[in-house]
Amino acid sequence: MMEISGLPEELWQLILSYLHLPDLGRCSLVCRAWYELILSLDKTRWRQLCLGCIEYRHPNWPNQPDVEPQSWRETFKQHYLASKTWTKNTQDLESSNCFYLFRRRKDRRLLCVGTGCEFDSLRAALATASPYDRIVLLPGVYEEYNEVVLKVPVEIVGQGKLGDVALLVSFDQHCPTTRLCNVVFMPARFTPVLYKTTSGYVQFDNCNFENGQLQIHAPGTCQVKFCTFSQSSIHFHSVALCILENCEFTGSENASVTVEGCPTSDWNWACKHLTRLAKSYSVSMQVSDPAFCSMTKQERWRNSPVGTVKAHEIVVEEERNNLLSASRAQAMFDSASKDAEFRENLRTAKEEEYPALDSNSSDSDLHSEDEESDQAVYKLSYQAHSLRHMLTNVMHSRLQSNRLHALQRDLKLKSLQQELQQDKEAQSLANSLQGCIIRQCLFRDGKGGIFIYSRGQAKLEGSIFRDLTYAVRCIQNSKVIMLKNDIHHCKASGIFLRLSAGGLIANNNIHSNCEAGVDIRKGANPLVLCNKIHSGLRSGIVVVGNGKGIIRSNQIYGNKEAGIYILYNGNPAVSGNYIFQGLAAGIAVNENGRGQITENVICENQWGGADIRHGGDPVLKNNMIACGYSDGVVVGECGKGLIEGNTIYGNKGCGVWMMSSSLPHVTNNQISHNSIYGVAVFCHKDDASDYPANQGGNENFHEEREGASWENDLDSEDEYLASRHPISVALVELNSINHNGASGLYIKSSEALNIIANVIHANRNNGVAVLQSTQLTCIANNSISCNSLGGVLVEAECQVELRGNGIYDNSSHGIVSKGDGIIVENDIIGNHRCGLQLLQAADMKVTKNRIQSFRDYGIALFDQAKGLVQENLIFQGRSKKSILQPISNTEDCIVQNNILLTLKKRFDVECMLMNPPARPHIEGTAPGSSMATSSQKISKVTRVDRGCHNQGSIFCAIL
């Protein structure tokens, strides 16, 4: 051999490109320099050898034939090794460890079949073949009129291009192993079965199957590679392990691949070789998908639509990457089709609709400059009450609690690798190798892709399913593992699971299907992780008829109906998903659906972020529901559920919209900067027509209606009920409702309602407006402050109970009532108009309140107002006005035993709300809410009758 340095490398590459495979192998053994030179031929000679072999096709056929492999030489090597798998079934003798030294090498004959050859028919060649002989078929059509039984291991190879050799034969394999390559299978006249094996291993390379079936029965196995199935199918029966890779299935009349029966424990000899092949591929599948998580943390923030952080945004005040806002979700949605538009919409929503407010903007906007200096003397300190920690947060528009720190940390879209590290069950499923493994295949233009039933198991990796009726159906306790598949334009649902089916559906791109992307029914319980589910003509995911499942870390967007739709006792666990830009609701829970819906980002949906109706009873907890084009949370007719710890921000409708026929428990939510009401409760008859009748959509679930009568899982039912606090009246408690575009709470209800311990602050209308309340509305222990109109408005014929509230610094009257009920033990302080007005036919019992107004009367009684006003403590402002009561209604409205106080010193101002402390009083919520010390108690008061407001001021001694 010549020295390699004698010629330029480019010239050597040109010379070596003419060598055949054996010569290239010999050259690579000369020395390291020659070895590296042979390796440098990867994109030239090695590529020619790989693509020129009739046994193989392009390594990325049929899905990505334009994408080259990393190494053509390595690809060619793997093809060659795989083609020899069928010969590896020799049984090792256990009698002697050294007996292999005397093993005789197999002598393989070459048998030619065709015109002018030794054999004119395939049957004749098979009759004389010895084990492992190679039968070569010349171009032509070979037909057999009876079933051909393979009794010895042989290799059958067609000569010429694929399509030159056609077999009209039905094979029945009775030998341990066989290989068929480069032939076209067509059905014989007497049966549609093209090939069947019940015990042996068969390997198909680069074949076409037309209008027929392959049947593989356990313990038989197979490997099918680079094959085309036209109106053909494969049936697997209880197989332990089979591999289909780089195949194309078109025009199927039923399912292209059917997997039936539990994988057998009786493994064929070839399973260990197939396992090694499958594991080598699984390692490459573990590399993260750049489409899902290509952006670094810094890049996500650099591309974030937030820009500069304004004071009204929901922010944890630490560093910039701690931003807790719906806008942070979209920073990772760079692969969505409307990414730029979404960012612009978010920016517009924040900069135009909600102008920047400084930390005390709501307060400063309510006071004019000429009032501030005078009012400072009379303004009482009320921020020591037990909801101070919530009030401070909303005044600064910041969320400081530990719960929201945790929410900010957890609301990140996790990669599949992170999910697998945390979830051992998912990791086990992803690594499992049982049943049928299908990878890098194409299923198109037919009825069904893969059908798995009767405890069958299949694993699908890197395949494409398009233009089918359905992609995958998995039923009857079967299991499917789907990784990195593309499923789109199905005429029904993309993935359909029912009858206790399960498995893992992860890292798939599921889009543009006519029904749901993933349909989970009748006890099915899969893991659905890290998928993109988008652009569907119906819902993204549907959970129906006692369906369960864990739905986590998915991107669900752009679907025509609900992103996730739960009904008929569906009960999934939905967490950590980004659900955005849907054309209906983000999550809809209907028809007795349930579910644990936690820590999701739900934004930019056309209808409600979460929509609950008709017996829907989910746990909706710690979600970010933001920037929707309608309401944040909708609780429609007969809706229920626990709505807790959510951030409901910047929606163009209401924060929470409820019907009076619903029974939700709304607690501990941050409801702010929504365009209309913070929380609205509407009478079903009067206002139901103002909103869509069913924000969830109109999915067709007629065959699952019987699911409502199924027996629930008793263990899960007990656990579900134990985690819930039962309520008999709709309850709104411990929420922060602030900076909304209309009233904080708007009530037109036909049923009882409890509003307990909320902070209702800086809303652009009344804090609480009760316009209709035929049953009692209980408003207790709330802090209602700095709202643009009054604190509480009660219209005629409404029944309310106002007890223990703190009503502070509202721009109009503290309380205006035209209805009936009681007002007891409230602090009504610092409001710009009257502390309390009773108008028209109001009939209220007003007792034991502390009332102060800067410019106006503490209590004003007009028209035909009647009731009892007694034992109230009234602090007189600069105007010295206390109680206004026209002479005409003195008989119907009794005013007696009220205490009038004139304050002269700042010390007096500070002490007035110490015994008891400023309301509301909520036990155990904050320090400093206990009773004042005995030295600060009011030891002596002067009581006056109802007419003393005309006799001058009455003083109180504070000892």
Side-chain angles (χ1 to χ4, degrees):
M1 296 288 292
M2 295 178 59
E3 289 291 334
I4 195 170
S5 59
L7 292 175
E9 182 178 353
E10 292 78 9
L11 186 56
W12 275 118
Q13 291 178 345
L14 178 61
I15 295 171
L16 294 175
S17 66
Y18 291 94
L19 297 183
H20 296 289
L21 180 61
D23 297 327
L24 288 174
R26 296 185 185 100
C27 291
S28 66
L29 299 176
V30 173
C31 62
R32 179 172 293 277
W34 279 93
Y35 175 76
E36 293 178 353
L37 182 60
I38 297 302
L39 292 183
S40 70
L41 304 176
D42 188 81
K43 296 186 181 300
T44 55
R45 184 54 179 162
W46 288 111
R47 184 178 186 275
Q48 291 174 357
L49 289 172
C50 190
L51 295 179
C53 184
I54 63 171
E55 300 181 3
Y56 320 129
R57 300 192 190 185
H58 190 286
N60 289 318
W61 181 90
N63 295 333
Q64 295 178 306
D66 298 329
V67 178
E68 294 195 356
Q70 293 183 351
S71 170
W72 285 97
R73 176 182 172 276
E74 184 64 24
T75 299
F76 186 78
K77 174 183 175 181
Q78 295 301 325
H79 284 334
Y80 179 80
L81 293 176
S83 70
K84 304 302 178 184
T85 299
W86 76 283
T87 65
K88 297 177 181 179
N89 72 315
T90 304
Q91 300 297 317
D92 293 331
L93 298 178
E94 299 180 358
S95 60
S96 173
N97 291 330
C98 62
F99 197 77
Y100 72 93
L101 297 173
F102 304 99
R103 184 181 301 154
R104 184 178 179 183
R105 183 178 179 182
K106 301 182 181 72
D107 294 325
R108 298 184 59 192
R109 293 187 302 162
L110 181 65
L111 308 178
C112 293
V113 180
T115 304
C117 296
E118 180 181 0
F119 302 98
D120 58 357
S121 71
L122 176 60
R123 187 183 294 273
L126 290 171
T128 61
S130 299
Y132 302 99
D133 283 349
R134 181 183 179 96
I135 299 176
V136 177
L137 303 177
L138 272 59
V141 177
Y142 298 86
E143 183 175 8
E144 298 291 342
Y145 297 99
N146 296 299
E147 186 176 68
V148 174
V149 179
L150 300 176
K151 297 181 179 180
V152 295
V154 293
E155 182 179 27
I156 302 174
V157 180
Q159 192 179 75
K161 296 180 180 180
L162 180 61
D164 291 346
V165 177
L167 298 178
L168 280 70
V169 181
S170 176
F171 289 97
D172 187 359
Q173 178 180 337
H174 288 182
C175 55
T177 182
T178 299
R179 180 175 184 247
L180 298 102
C181 176
N182 200 46
V183 296
V184 176
F185 288 87
M186 303 175 69
R189 299 178 182 180
F190 55 90
T191 179
V193 177
L194 303 175
Y195 199 98
K196 178 175 69 175
T197 180
T198 57
S199 60
Y201 166 77
V202 60
Q203 183 172 329
F204 297 98
D205 292 316
N206 196 31
C207 295
N208 281 2
F209 299 88
E210 298 182 4
N211 303 297
Q213 299 175 7
L214 269 64
Q215 295 184 0
I216 312 296
H217 297 256
T221 59
C222 74
Q223 181 183 9
V224 185
K225 192 170 184 179
F226 296 118
C227 293
T228 298
F229 292 79
S230 176
Q231 296 183 344
S232 299
S233 61
I234 307 180
H235 292 252
F236 294 101
H237 300 266
S238 301
V239 294
L241 182 62
C242 291
I243 294 180
L244 275 67
E245 54 185 346
N246 298 97
C247 294
E248 181 181 21
F249 296 82
T250 61
S252 63
E253 295 181 358
N254 292 296
S256 296
V257 178
T258 300
V259 183
E260 173 191 2
C262 181
T264 180
S265 58
D266 184 12
W267 278 38
N268 183 284
W269 64 268
C271 288
K272 66 176 183 180
H273 304 290
L274 297 178
T275 300
R276 185 165 53 250
L277 289 173
K279 284 183 177 179
S280 65
Y281 184 75
S282 296
V283 170
S284 65
M285 290 294 294
Q286 292 176 5
V287 179
S288 60
D289 188 349
F292 282 82
C293 50
S294 59
M295 299 178 68
T296 64
K297 186 176 184 180
Q298 290 77 14
E299 288 172 338
R300 289 197 297 269
W301 285 111
R302 190 179 305 119
N303 296 332
S304 172
V306 176
T308 58
V309 178
K310 300 184 182 298
H312 73 278
E313 291 175 321
I314 303 176
V315 177
V316 176
E317 191 176 18
E318 290 181 355
E319 56 187 21
R320 186 179 181 186
N321 63 2
N322 278 338
L323 179 64
L324 178 59
S325 167
S327 60
R328 64 170 297 170
Q330 188 53 32
M332 297 183 65
F333 297 161
D334 57 316
S335 59
S337 60
K338 297 183 180 180
D339 179 68
E341 180 182 354
F342 182 45
R343 283 202 283 261
E344 184 61 31
N345 289 341
L346 285 174
R347 188 178 296 110
T348 302
K350 289 180 178 152
E351 294 180 357
E352 296 182 5
E353 296 188 17
Y354 310 116
L357 306 172
D358 44 36
S359 61
N360 272 324
S361 62
S362 299
D363 301 341
S364 60
D365 289 347
L366 299 178
H367 303 287
S368 60
E369 294 181 0
D370 61 340
E371 291 180 342
E372 289 181 356
S373 59
D374 293 334
Q375 189 171 357
V377 178
Y378 297 95
K379 187 175 181 179
L380 302 182
S381 176
Y382 54 82
Q383 293 192 17
H385 63 73
S386 59
L387 295 182
R388 178 181 180 182
H389 64 293
M390 295 176 67
L391 182 62
T392 302
N393 287 339
V394 299
M395 288 178 65
H396 295 274
S397 296
R398 301 190 184 278
L399 308 173
Q400 303 284 352
S401 67
N402 292 333
R403 178 185 61 77
L404 287 171
H405 275 287
L407 177 62
Q408 176 265 341
R409 182 181 62 252
D410 293 338
L411 290 185
K412 295 180 181 178
L413 194 65
K414 295 178 181 178
S415 67
L416 180 59
Q417 288 67 41
Q418 291 172 323
E419 288 287 354
L420 295 182
Q421 289 173 0
Q422 297 175 6
D423 191 330
K424 298 304 180 183
E425 180 185 358
Q427 188 179 84
S428 175
L429 286 170
N431 295 329
S432 66
L433 297 173
Q434 280 190 310
C436 180
I437 297 179
I438 302 171
R439 59 193 193 191
Q440 290 187 339
C441 292
L442 172 62
F443 297 80
R444 64 178 178 88
D445 302 315
K447 180 177 180 180
I450 299 173
F451 181 39
I452 311 160
Y453 71 103
S454 294
R455 302 179 64 194
Q457 183 166 325
K459 185 174 184 178
L460 322 178
E461 300 175 305
S463 296
I464 293 176
F465 300 81
R466 62 177 174 87
D467 298 306
L468 304 165
T469 300
Y470 66 88
V472 177
R473 291 175 63 93
C474 184
I475 67 173
Q476 296 175 352
N477 297 96
S478 297
K479 186 181 297 183
V480 62
I481 296 100
M482 301 187 64
L483 303 173
K484 285 191 174 182
N485 302 282
D486 195 348
I487 300 166
H488 61 95
H489 291 95
C490 294
K491 298 178 180 64
S493 298
I495 303 171
F496 188 95
L497 301 101
R498 65 184 295 174
L499 298 175
S500 301
L504 173 66
I505 301 170
N507 241 4
N508 302 283
N509 186 18
I510 304 169
H511 64 96
S512 307
N513 298 290
C514 293
E515 298 288 340
V518 180
D519 193 318
I520 304 169
R521 307 187 182 211
K522 290 188 176 179
N525 190 19
L527 283 165
V528 184
L529 308 179
C530 304
N531 301 281
K532 288 184 178 180
I533 304 173
H534 61 98
S535 307
L537 300 184
R538 302 295 289 273
S539 297
I541 298 177
V542 170
V543 186
V544 191
N546 282 61
K548 299 179 183 178
I550 295 174
I551 302 170
R552 200 164 60 220
S553 299
N554 301 280
Q555 295 184 36
I556 303 171
Y557 60 93
N559 297 288
K560 189 173 181 180
E561 295 183 0
I564 298 177
Y565 201 2
I566 305 168
L567 66 169
Y568 297 122
N569 289 325
N571 189 19
V574 181
S575 65
N577 302 281
Y578 286 175
I579 304 170
F580 63 102
Q581 290 186 349
L583 301 182
I587 296 179
V589 187
N590 213 327
E591 302 295 345
N592 299 310
R594 289 166 29 188
Q596 302 281 331
I597 303 167
T598 59
E599 298 181 354
N600 302 280
V601 174
I602 306 171
C603 58
E604 278 266 313
N605 295 286
Q606 292 289 337
W607 292 354
D611 188 284
I612 305 166
R613 298 174 189 266
H614 302 299
D617 190 13
V619 173
L620 187 70
K621 190 171 184 179
N622 294 343
N623 301 279
M624 170 73 77
I625 303 174
C627 299
Y629 292 103
S630 184
D631 307 309
V633 177
V634 174
V635 186
E637 181 180 1
C638 297
K640 296 183 285 188
L642 174 63
I643 302 168
E644 179 180 7
N646 303 283
T647 299
I648 304 172
Y649 174 86
N651 298 285
K652 292 186 180 296
C654 306
V656 178
W657 185 94
M658 299 162 49
M659 277 188 179
S660 59
S661 57
S662 62
L663 196 66
H665 183 183
V666 182
T667 178
N668 202 27
N669 301 282
Q670 299 285 344
I671 305 171
S672 64
H673 293 91
N674 299 287
S675 295
I676 311 179
Y677 311 112
V679 177
V681 184
F682 286 98
C683 177
H684 174 59
K685 294 181 179 179
D686 290 351
D687 294 274
S689 60
D690 295 343
Y691 286 81
N694 185 357
Q695 298 207 40
N698 296 308
E699 297 274 5
N700 181 15
F701 300 112
H702 62 277
E703 70 172 295
E704 300 302 332
R705 292 186 181 274
E706 71 273 15
S709 62
W710 275 35
E711 291 294 332
N712 291 319
D713 187 298
L714 295 180
D715 293 336
S716 62
E717 182 73 13
D718 292 343
E719 181 181 352
Y720 183 79
L721 294 175
S723 66
R724 300 288 295 274
H725 177 67
I727 60 173
S728 57
V729 176
L731 177 59
V732 180
E733 66 170 349
L734 292 171
N735 301 283
S736 173
I737 305 171
N738 65 90
H739 295 93
N740 296 288
S743 298
L745 265 160
Y746 182 89
I747 301 163
K748 292 185 70 175
S749 176
S750 59
E751 295 180 4
L753 175 67
N754 291 335
I755 302 168
I756 311 295
N758 301 280
V759 169
I760 304 170
H761 176 80
N763 299 286
R764 298 190 180 275
N765 204 294
N766 296 292
V768 179
V770 185
L771 277 69
Q772 176 180 325
S773 179
T774 56
Q775 301 293 323
L776 179 65
T777 297
C778 178
I779 304 171
N781 297 322
N782 301 280
S783 174
I784 305 171
S785 61
C786 300
N787 296 286
S788 296
L789 290 181
V792 179
L793 170 64
V794 181
E795 285 291 347
E797 299 182 359
C798 294
Q799 299 183 43
V800 298
E801 176 183 345
L802 284 158
R803 182 184 296 272
N805 302 283
I807 303 172
Y808 308 113
D809 285 348
N810 298 286
S811 292
S812 185
H813 307 290
I815 299 174
V816 175
S817 177
K818 304 174 186 178
D820 305 334
I822 62 173
I823 302 173
V824 60
E825 295 182 348
N826 301 281
D827 288 341
I828 309 170
I829 306 295
N831 300 285
H832 286 208
R833 301 287 300 279
C834 294
L836 168 63
Q837 272 196 353
L838 301 183
L839 304 175
Q840 297 180 6
D843 187 358
M844 306 291 293
K845 179 180 179 181
V846 182
T847 180
K848 297 182 181 179
N849 301 282
R850 293 184 293 194
I851 304 174
Q852 181 260 356
S853 178
F854 174 57
R855 289 184 177 273
D856 215 325
Y857 290 95
I859 300 175
L861 310 171
F862 293 103
D863 305 326
Q864 303 301 315
K866 56 185 178 180
L868 175 64
V869 179
Q870 71 175 11
E871 299 183 17
N872 299 286
L873 186 61
I874 301 174
F875 306 119
Q876 297 182 107
R878 188 180 67 175
S879 64
K880 310 300 182 186
K881 297 177 181 179
S882 54
I883 300 177
L884 173 62
Q885 181 186 24
I887 301 298
S888 60
N889 67 344
T890 55
E891 295 181 359
D892 295 328
C893 186
I894 301 173
V895 180
Q896 65 184 14
N897 298 332
N898 297 285
I899 305 167
L900 308 181
L901 303 179
T902 298
L903 307 178
K904 291 187 175 181
K905 299 180 180 179
R906 182 66 179 175
F907 176 75
D908 297 341
V909 175
E910 294 173 352
C911 292
M912 282 302 96
L913 294 183
M914 288 186 178
N915 185 22
R919 295 182 176 93
H921 301 156
I922 308 298
E923 294 183 2
T925 56
S929 60
S930 62
M931 298 294 288
T933 62
S934 59
S935 62
Q936 296 171 327
K937 292 182 179 179
I938 300 176
S939 60
K940 181 181 179 181
V941 295
T942 304
R943 297 185 179 274
V944 298
D945 60 20
R946 57 185 173 180
C948 69
H949 64 278
N950 294 321
Q951 300 174 9
S953 299
I954 303 298
F955 293 87
C956 147
I958 302 177
L959 302 181

